[in-house]
Amino acid sequence: MAKSASNRIKEVREIRKISQKDLAQQLKTSQQAISLYEKGIREPKIEMWEKIAHVLRVTIPYLQGISYDEDDILIFVNANYFEIRLNPNFIGDDNLTFEIRKYIELIGESFPEDKFTVEELAAFNNEVKAYWYKVIGFIFNEEPYKNELLSSDLSKTEILNIVAEAIKEKRLELTETEISQKFVSICGDDFYFWENNKENLMRFASKKDIQEAINHLQQSLKAFSDELNDLPENKNITFKVPDSFKNSDKQ
């Protein structure tokens, strides 16, 4: 079920770093009226919806919890990047910011903080919006993310997670090689199983099932290893395996 309009108004207001008092002044109404709107006690008239949407720079349907607009999603992405990357107290990127930065490096674009001032990023002006459309606009044109992102049932967190996954998939697509394709086709399912089940497997499975899972993974890796010699070398070699992992004889 879609969110109520009151939550959307408050959510976007807080993203914009606008207080109830400031929003009320810009709308030429009272702070109490804003509070009633946000709590869902009073329903704004259509003229007020238009004013609120204009000040907060989102669509009326979004504020009403009916649908998402592409601009709304980019506002969330920009706000998340702004809060994570430009926070003087940040100690590391979240998953979305990490994927954004890896992708920006890949396509040779400038980072947002190198291209715009803090004030411009915070305001999400037309230049900032155009930048995000240029960098990650593909998320609105490619399935399965195109329709998924425009669902009104998604929360802000779900939107950001989907965007992160879409950027990661695009990055992997652009860097794909014959070796990576062969690995996915032979070992992909096994590694997906291990990544998602290793904790349960080691804690709750029998030794027999653990050994069978290990054997299956070893067989897949052996099959991939047999194919590797006949595949062309990767052209862009930048990753080096640590020496400690090159010794195949485990002590």
Side-chain angles (χ1 to χ4, degrees):
M1 185 175 180
K3 293 180 180 179
S4 65
S6 59
N7 289 332
R8 288 277 173 82
I9 294 174
K10 181 179 180 181
E11 181 178 327
V12 180
R13 176 178 63 75
E14 291 179 343
I15 288 175
R16 295 296 193 197
K17 310 296 184 185
I18 300 175
S19 67
Q20 281 188 345
K21 181 179 179 180
D22 289 340
L23 180 59
Q25 289 176 344
Q26 293 186 59
L27 297 174
K28 294 181 171 55
T29 188
S30 66
Q31 184 175 344
Q32 181 183 21
I34 299 301
S35 177
L36 293 175
Y37 295 154
E38 293 183 349
K39 293 177 181 178
I41 297 175
R42 179 186 296 176
E43 177 74 12
K45 293 182 179 179
I46 184 60
E47 294 83 3
M48 182 56 72
W49 276 122
E50 291 173 350
K51 291 179 180 179
I52 297 173
H54 176 73
V55 171
L56 297 180
R57 298 192 298 282
V58 293
T59 61
I60 294 176
Y62 173 73
L63 287 178
Q64 294 175 331
I66 298 173
S67 66
Y68 288 98
D69 181 83
E70 293 179 3
D71 286 2
D72 301 327
I73 294 170
L74 293 183
I75 287 170
F76 285 150
V77 171
N78 180 74
N80 183 79
Y81 189 94
F82 178 82
E83 292 170 3
I84 296 293
R85 192 66 195 176
L86 302 184
N87 184 338
N89 298 318
F90 96 100
I91 57 175
D93 296 334
D94 66 343
N95 186 47
L96 174 57
T97 306
F98 173 81
E99 290 299 339
I100 286 174
R101 293 182 67 79
K102 293 288 286 185
Y103 183 69
I104 288 175
E105 287 180 331
L106 177 64
I107 64 176
E109 182 60 73
S110 300
F111 291 124
E113 63 268 33
D114 295 332
K115 196 174 183 68
F116 304 101
T117 66
V118 172
E119 292 74 21
E120 289 171 334
L121 286 171
F124 194 72
N125 60 26
N126 289 334
E127 289 74 21
V128 172
K129 181 171 70 172
Y131 168 85
W132 285 115
Y133 267 111
K134 176 183 177 182
V135 172
I136 62 170
F138 65 87
I139 64 177
F140 303 123
N141 300 314
E142 299 179 10
E143 299 294 356
Y145 310 107
K146 176 181 178 181
N147 291 326
E148 191 174 4
L149 281 170
L150 300 179
S151 168
S152 62
D153 292 332
L154 295 173
S155 68
K156 176 184 173 182
T157 299
E158 289 171 327
I159 288 175
L160 297 181
N161 287 339
I162 291 172
V163 173
E165 182 63 24
I167 295 173
K168 177 182 179 181
E169 289 298 318
K170 189 68 171 180
R171 175 171 60 82
L172 293 177
E173 175 187 325
L174 293 177
T175 56
E176 196 171 52
T177 67
E178 289 191 47
I179 291 177
S180 71
Q181 289 176 330
K182 183 63 69 173
F183 179 83
V184 170
S185 67
I186 295 177
C187 304
D189 290 342
D190 289 315
F191 270 80
Y192 181 84
F193 172 83
W194 276 91
E195 179 63 28
N196 290 276
N197 296 283
K198 58 181 181 292
E199 286 84 6
N200 287 333
L201 186 66
M202 295 305 158
R203 288 163 176 78
F204 306 112
S206 68
K207 290 193 292 184
K208 178 182 178 182
D209 282 347
I210 294 173
Q211 188 61 62
E212 288 182 352
I214 292 173
N215 292 341
H216 196 278
L217 179 61
Q218 288 176 329
Q219 291 170 7
S220 295
L221 288 171
K222 177 62 168 58
F224 171 68
S225 180
D226 291 342
E227 296 276 355
L228 189 58
N229 288 335
D230 295 329
L231 297 174
E233 180 66 271
N234 285 331
K235 295 180 180 179
N236 185 23
I237 300 177
T238 58
F239 178 77
K240 299 295 183 181
V241 176
D243 291 338
S244 59
F245 284 84
K246 294 180 179 180
N247 184 0
S248 60
D249 297 324
K250 290 287 185 180
Q251 299 297 324

